[in-house]
Amino acid sequence: MSAAPTLDPGTHEPPDYLQVQSSAEFDELRRAHRSFAFPLTVAFVLWYLGYVLLSSYAGGFMAVKVAGHLNVAFVLGIAQFVTTFLIAWWYSRHAAAKLDPKAEAIKSRLEGVTLRKEGDV
């Protein structure tokens, strides 16, 4: 039975986070995240505020019956929940396809540097 190697956390230098933060690959990761998250966040906030404003100032429109006892307000309220789940699903797919591989590459590079420093000691 072989034991897993133990690493003393105090024997190696931590990664240079400022250098990582200023690297091109970190900029690319940040750009990939921001180009997806910021526009989608703005769109959702506007959609939510639109619903709130309609509820506050367009009561007649929101009270219009769509089917049976269901009115426009109810349909738009349910659509808020649906879009929330769709955005979460879409973001998880985006992160898995675009962000996670880039973050893993940065992490692997940092761990490789850290392990080499430990091996040198």
Side-chain angles (χ1 to χ4, degrees):
M1 179 172 171
S2 64
T6 59
L7 297 176
D8 179 8
T11 61
H12 66 278
E13 294 289 322
D16 184 357
Y17 292 109
L18 294 176
Q19 181 184 11
V20 172
Q21 187 178 8
S22 64
S23 71
E25 56 187 349
F26 190 80
D27 278 343
E28 187 178 328
L29 174 62
R30 187 177 14 220
R31 193 175 314 108
H33 170 70
R34 288 180 177 172
S35 68
F36 185 88
F38 287 176
L40 209 53
T41 300
V42 169
F44 185 78
V45 167
L46 291 175
W47 157 230
Y48 175 76
L49 290 176
Y51 177 74
V52 170
L53 292 173
L54 284 172
S55 296
S56 297
Y57 298 108
F61 170 71
M62 296 295 267
V64 171
K65 300 286 184 192
V66 175
H69 294 291
L70 300 178
N71 60 17
V72 172
F74 183 79
V75 172
L76 292 179
I78 293 298
Q80 290 282 316
F81 286 100
V82 171
T83 54
T84 300
F85 288 109
L86 284 174
I87 289 169
W89 170 78
W90 191 14
Y91 179 78
S92 72
R93 287 179 45 102
H94 171 74
K98 306 276 172 138
L99 305 179
D100 292 348
K102 292 175 183 176
E104 190 60 39
I106 293 170
K107 179 182 171 194
S108 295
R109 185 175 56 79
L110 286 175
E111 287 176 345
V113 168
T114 302
L115 291 176
R116 264 184 267 135
K117 283 183 180 177
E118 288 173 3
D120 293 343
V121 173

